[in-house]
Amino acid sequence: MTKLRSLILFFAVALFAACNVQPEKTSDLKLWYNEPADASVKDDPNGWRDDREWLKALPLGNGSMGVMVFGDVNQERIQLNEESMWSGSVNDNDNPEAREAQQEIRRLLFEGKYKEATALTNKTQICKGAGSGHGNGAEVPFGCFQTLGDLRIDFGKTSEFENYYRELDLNDAVVRVKYTRDEVNFQREIFTSYPDQVMVARLTADRPGQLSFSCTMDRPEHFKTYAEGGQLIMTDALPDGKGGENLHYMARLKAIAKNGKIAYKDSQLVVKDADEVILLLAASTDYVLNYPEYKGRDYAEVTAKSIENASKKSYKELLKAHLSEYQNYFARVDLDLTPAEIEPVPTDKRIELFRESNSDPHLVELMFQYGRYLLISSSRPGCLPANLQGLWANKIQTPWNGDYHTDVNVQMNYWPAEVTNLSEMHLPLFDLLESLVKPGTKTADVQYGNRGWVIHPITNVWGYTAPGEAASWGMHTGGSAWISTHIAEHYRFTGDKEFLKRMYPVLKGASEFYVDWLVSDPETGKLVSGPAVSPENTFIAPDGSRSQISMGPAHDQQVIWQLFTDFIYASEELGMENDFVREVKEVRQELAGPKIGSDGRLMEWAHEFPEVEPGHRHISHLFAVHPGEQINTWDTPELVNAAKKSLDYRIANGGGHTGWSAAWLISQYARVFEGDNAKNSLNTVLRKSTSPNLFGQHPPFQMDANFGTTAGIAEMLLQSHAGVLHLLPALPEEWPEGSVKGLKGRGGFVVDMNWKNSRLVSAKIYSEKGGKIRLLYNSDYTELSLEPDETNEYKVELDSGK
Ligand code: FUC
């Protein structure tokens, strides 16, 4: 950093410190601001355009309910989400013409006739019907995840205020807003409770009778509001995409006041002259994750019960229940990347300063923990998985329908789950996976005549498993292989045999599909996947056409290898030895493997095709480096070198230009032990893809960048994918001193460690279930054998001088 820049930073920090209200306790785990998000600015109805003010609001979530708190003084806006607020309905998108044409497409591809093959694929293989509506599916059967609406609290004033401060404290998952108006100090405290299934907002003032406001609820379409039984209710149904309606929803709001008066009039809740007010909000729909009905929850009853039960508790009791449940997850991991004191700069300003400095270890700690916070908030056990926007969307048409993209995005959402000690948050993904087996079995049969089940690059809450609507991206046939690799990952970390037994049929079904799907390459005799894309990349084919589909793209080969490896491993763990397991072993042996091109890079396709966009955002052919394990330093050092070349080449050509793409590069560079390059990719995320509320940006807003960043930081500090527990594998120069507690390695080993002068000082390894592990630091291996006692601490001191 130049002297001038340091000077500017110094003065900027001094200025913030002098003029503004600061957190009561300095903490690296607070997002805080000295300005509200402006609730008077209307959202742009165009779903693909971000709303600046919404990206200043602060997210809370209990897995099923998400809210965004603006902290506006005059009219508070709490934008509401419920995880199953999806338009659309179950639909048959499988293409019966696909099966017959497949052999011909493969023949054309093997003969180098890409143009004809692509035309035939577009004609016969892609989904029937509207598919995802090209990412705008709110009005087609695919549907769209959308806003539940808004709770608006109008204080009926526009006079001046001062001492404004708002924060989201990750330690307790509470948003606080404070300000002074007419010499009265006002405070709001808001949280969403998993144990009580309500949003709780407490409004207070330091003088009696100062709280007067009115509340309304609304959404851009399909809603009615009315008052009934001492509650304000918003309810209606969403379009099914076929001309009718499908999902029904309800939100209920109730106020409890100390002194003053409460009245419910038509569609308004009015509070007058109260000392303190608690608002309780519950929301639900009639959705159930169960193909093909997807219906059956008594949402009116569920919400009524939640409000009734929560009303019986005091604010203190509600908060206590929330804290003990939330902190049980969040407090498992601690990260400290610098001994320096934290500077009192509001979060939005800090992001701005980072664009200059590229250095703020406390901001990295905050981003790391924020990813964990967002995962806990959007993916609690029993809920739907985190989608493209986690759980937070303020539009009717969210970008790409806010769906589950299975060609990287939903997987990335779950990369931090195990290593950052949040295994339970991974569970919603497996519920979704299980629910896809039935529709995916139909798709496997109708489209391909194969056993097992399959999904392609996208799915939704209505069991969509067909390909997408164009060959270019929709023929991602590796989707089910990739997502199924999460099963063995969860097991490797948790050792949960019951879970593995439950998911074994899912793993088996996925493997069956690919055993039937692979064909022999006439040139090499090896088994290849196809017609298939390398997610969403384009090459120039030998016939001069721009093509995406080919036979044997590296990505499919690698995800299928990983799936088969996982299936064989799971079979061994469960003592399964039968003809199918033997068949999978044989087929894996015959799979075409990773290849190095004449320029030393890992090849993305079976042939060395020129790339149309050499800096493409997807790095799908590096799956085997991360999150896969096929390419690693121990078994395949030459391939690791080739992967490094591919990474450098991508970046040199402008790669990593979307948030999730840069986030993936952190993990990739960590796996090839290049800490400084990993840090550079982290800088890119923070500089280019981070909103004022730290939400990731594609752009538009997309949450995978948050999850991928958290996973990447963990990967820099701890790795365990190749049978080795590797400490500080990719520590960048910029973090010479620090500590981390609670990261988890495969085998259920929990690691606490600290380092100084860029060298490890000590590490404590806790074993949850006992077992042997090879510990690695630098080039020193230590064999450990630990007792199966979760509470038993096993300390390993490593000589930092070695
Ligand atoms: C993948 C990516 C896009 C976007 C979309 C939601 O298909 O290629 O960049 O992130 O998912």
Side-chain angles (χ1 to χ4, degrees), residues 32-35 166 346-353 692:
W32 64 276
Y33 308 82
N34 287 125
E35 279 161 15
R166 68 186 168 111
T347 307
D348 46 349
K349 302 291 181 292
R350 221 153 130 195
I351 288 288
E352 279 168 28
L353 292 176

Side-chain angles (χ1 to χ4, degrees), residues 185-237:
N185 296 315
F186 291 92
Q187 285 203 29
R188 301 172 199 161
E189 233 176 43
I190 303 125
F191 61 91
T192 49
S193 166
Y194 178 83
D196 288 296
Q197 289 295 305
V198 282
M199 182 200 81
V200 183
R202 183 177 69 163
L203 295 92
T204 52
D206 66 355
R207 284 199 210 157
Q210 293 296 323
L211 289 165
S212 295
F213 56 84
S214 64
C215 296
T216 51
M217 287 193 285
D218 62 74
R219 74 189 297 273
E221 60 179 39
H222 300 297
F223 78 99
K224 44 184 181 277
T225 51
Y226 54 91
E228 189 184 87
Q231 291 174 7
L232 195 61
I233 293 169
M234 174 167 69
T235 186
D236 207 354

Side-chain angles (χ1 to χ4, degrees), residues 388 400 403 405 407-409 536 616-618 658 660 698 702 704:
L388 280 171
W400 290 282
D403 69 11
H405 263 58
D407 64 356
V408 65
N409 316 81
E536 308 178 14
H616 196 262
R617 61 194 183 284
H618 284 266
T658 69
W660 65 260
H698 186 284
Q702 206 169 285
D704 40 18

Side-chain angles (χ1 to χ4, degrees), residues 35 54 92 105 133 160 181 183 193 233 288 293 295 321 493 551 585 588 600 608 613 651 662 665-666 741 745:
E35 279 161 15
W54 188 79
D92 179 9
I105 294 168
E160 294 288 302
R181 177 179 256 168
E183 286 167 31
S193 166
I233 293 169
V288 178
E293 294 84 18
K295 282 256 175 195
F493 279 87
M551 295 304 293
K585 283 184 185 164
R588 184 179 64 163
E608 282 192 70
E613 198 190 320
I651 298 214
L665 291 171
I666 308 171
K741 279 191 188 146

